[in-house]
C-alpha cells in the first residue's frame, strides 16, 4: 500500500520523518502502513541521519502544592507524588508524560529513569505507599505514545544502583545495595529490543550509590562505597566493554577525590563533566579542570546532563526546596561562562529525583 497516494514511497517517507515529536502517536494511528513505518527502528535512524531528531529531557519530578501562610503569603512546596515531566529545549516548553497505568500512587521513590532509542525506562525504586523495594521495569515509547511492561529486574532486591544506556539498545544496572543494606558488586545488562536481562561478571568492588555512564563506547561504573564504609566514596571506576573482553577493568583514582559521583555525565564532546564543591568540572586526560561555578539556584544537589555543546543543571539552593534549571554553553569562548535560567511554570519546579535525555 502506498504511504501517500500519488507519491513514491521514498518521498512519502521523507514527509513522515519530518513530523513533529508530539504527532508520532497520532500519525501511527492513521493506517497500518504508517504505523509499520513509524514504529520501525530505521524510522528514528532516518530522522537522525537527516538531522531531524531533537533532544528532550525527562525528569522524575514531584508535584507541587501551594502553601498559604499568614498575611496572604504563599509558597510552593514539593509533594511526595512523583510523575514524569518533559522539557523540550527547542520549543522551550514543559509538559507531563502520560502516567504509568499500574502506578496510581505515582512513580517509585528513588527509581532510575534512563533513555534508550525512542524509549524512556523507569527501573526499580520503592513503592511510595508501603516502601516495598520494586524490581519493575516500565517503558514509555515516544512513537506509540504508550507504556509497556518490561521483564522485571532479576537478582533480588536492589536499591540506589547506578544505571546508564548506550542510547540505542542496551542498559546497564550496577551496584547499589540489597534488602540487608549490603553493598553489591553485581551488574546486569538489559537488551531493550529483546526484553531480556543478562547477568554480567561481578565487579571487583562493592559500589553502593555509584554512578553509571556510557563513555567513549564503554559502560563506566563510577565511585560508590562498600558495606563496611558507608558514605566513604571510592575514587575509582570500573569499565565494561560488551564488544571485546566482556570483563571489568579497574581504573584507580578515576575521580581524583573521594566524592559523590551522582552528577558525572558524558558531554557530546566525549568528555566527562560533574559537579564538585559548587563547581562544574571536566575531565581532560587524567585531570579534572574547572569549567564554571554553579549558580546559587542549583548549588544544593544538582543533577547534570548534556546535549549539543550545552549542560543542563537541575537542583535547588540551600534555603529553597523548589528546583530550578539552568543552561550553560560549554563551547562559549567567553572566559567567564554564564548560566541562563530556564523559565518553568510553577508546576514544573518540584523536587527532581532523576533526569535523562533522549534524541528523538
Amino acid at each position: 500500500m502506498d504511504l501517500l497516494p500519488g507519491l513514491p514511497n521514498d518521498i512519502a517517507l521523507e514527509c513522515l520523518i519530518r513530523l513533529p515529536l508530539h504527532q508520532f502517536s497520532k500519525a501511527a494511528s492513521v493506517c497500518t502502513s504508517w504505523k509499520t513505518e513509524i514504529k520501525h527502528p530505521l524510522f528514528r535512524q532516518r530522522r537522525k541521519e537527516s538531522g531531524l531528531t531533537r533532544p528532550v529531557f525527562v525528569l522524575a519530578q514531584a508535584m507541587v502544592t501551594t502553601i498559604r501562610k499568614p498575611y496572604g503569603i504563599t509558597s510552593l512546596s514539593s509533594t511526595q507524588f512523583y510523575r514524569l515531566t518533559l522539557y523540550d529545549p527547542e520549543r522551550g516548553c514543559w509538559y507531563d508524560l502520560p502516567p504509568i497505568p499500574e502506578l496510581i500512587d505515582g512513580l517509585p521513590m528513588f527509581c532510575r529513569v534512563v533513555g534508550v532509542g525512542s524509549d524512556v525506562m523507569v527501573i526499580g525504586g520503592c513503592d511510595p505507599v508501603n516502601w516495598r523495594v520494586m524490581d519493575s521495569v516500565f517503558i514509555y515509547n515516544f512513537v506509540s505514545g504508550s507504556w509497556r511492561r518490561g521483564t522485571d529486574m532479576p537478582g533480588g532486591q536492589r536499591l540506589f544502583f547506578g544505571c546508564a544506556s548506550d542510547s540505542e539498545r542496551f542498559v546497564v544496572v550496577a551496584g547499589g545495595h540489597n534488602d540487608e543494606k549490603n553493598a553489591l558488586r553485581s551488574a546486569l545488562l538489559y537488551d531493550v529490543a529483546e526484553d531480556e536481562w543478562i547477568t554480567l561478571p561481578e565487579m571487583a568492588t562493592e559500589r553502593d550509590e555509584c554512578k553509571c555512564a556510557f563513555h567513549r563506547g564503554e559502560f563506566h561504573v563510577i565511585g560508590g562505597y562498600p558495606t563496611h564504609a558507608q558514605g566513604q566514596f571510592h575514587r575509582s571506576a570500573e569499565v565494561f566493554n560488551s564488544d571485546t573482553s566482556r570483563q571489568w577493568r579497574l581504573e584507580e583514582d578515576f575521580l581524583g577525590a573521594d566524592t559523590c559521583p551522582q552528577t558525572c555525565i558524558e558531554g557530546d564532546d566525549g568528555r566527562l563533566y560533574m559537579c564538585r564543591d559548587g563547581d562544574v568540572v571536566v575531565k581532560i586526560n587524567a585531570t579534572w579542570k574547572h569549567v564554571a561555578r554553579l549558580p546559587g539556584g542549583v548549588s544544593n544537589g544538582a543533577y547534570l546532563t548534556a546535549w549539543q555543546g550545552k549542560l543542563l543543571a537541575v537542583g535547588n539552593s540551600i534555603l529553597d526546596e523548589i528546583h530550578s534549571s539552568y543552561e550553560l554553553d560549554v563551547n562559549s569562548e567567553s572566559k567567564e561562562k554564564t548560566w541562563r535560567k530556564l523559565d518553568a511554570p510553577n508546576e514544573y519546579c518540584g523536587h527532581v529525583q532523576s533526569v535523562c535525555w533522549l534524541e528523538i
Side-chain angles (χ1 to χ4, degrees), residues 57-71:
F57 298 91
V58 179
L59 301 83
Q61 189 171 40
M63 298 283 284
V64 173
T65 186
T66 299
I67 298 176
R68 301 190 182 280
K69 300 180 179 180
Y71 309 107

Side-chain angles (χ1 to χ4, degrees), residues 8 15 20 30 40 43 74 76 90 111 122 188 208 230 237 258 301 317 340 355 360:
C15 296
V30 169
H40 198 284
F43 183 79
T74 61
L76 299 176
E90 290 195 3
C111 65
V122 177
L188 303 165
D208 198 359
Q230 292 198 11
D258 300 327
S317 68
R340 181 178 72 88
V355 180
I360 305 175

Side-chain angles (χ1 to χ4, degrees), residues 132-170:
R132 176 181 58 85
V133 176
M134 304 172 65
D135 56 9
S136 55
V137 175
F138 298 96
I139 304 170
Y140 179 79
N141 181 263
F142 276 93
V143 174
S144 66
S146 61
W147 287 95
R148 69 182 187 271
R149 185 71 184 261
T151 299
D152 288 348
M153 182 170 52
Q157 292 187 357
R158 184 190 298 264
L159 201 60
F160 291 103
F161 51 85
C163 184
S165 88
D166 65 356
S167 298
E168 297 295 335
R169 178 170 177 172
F170 297 106

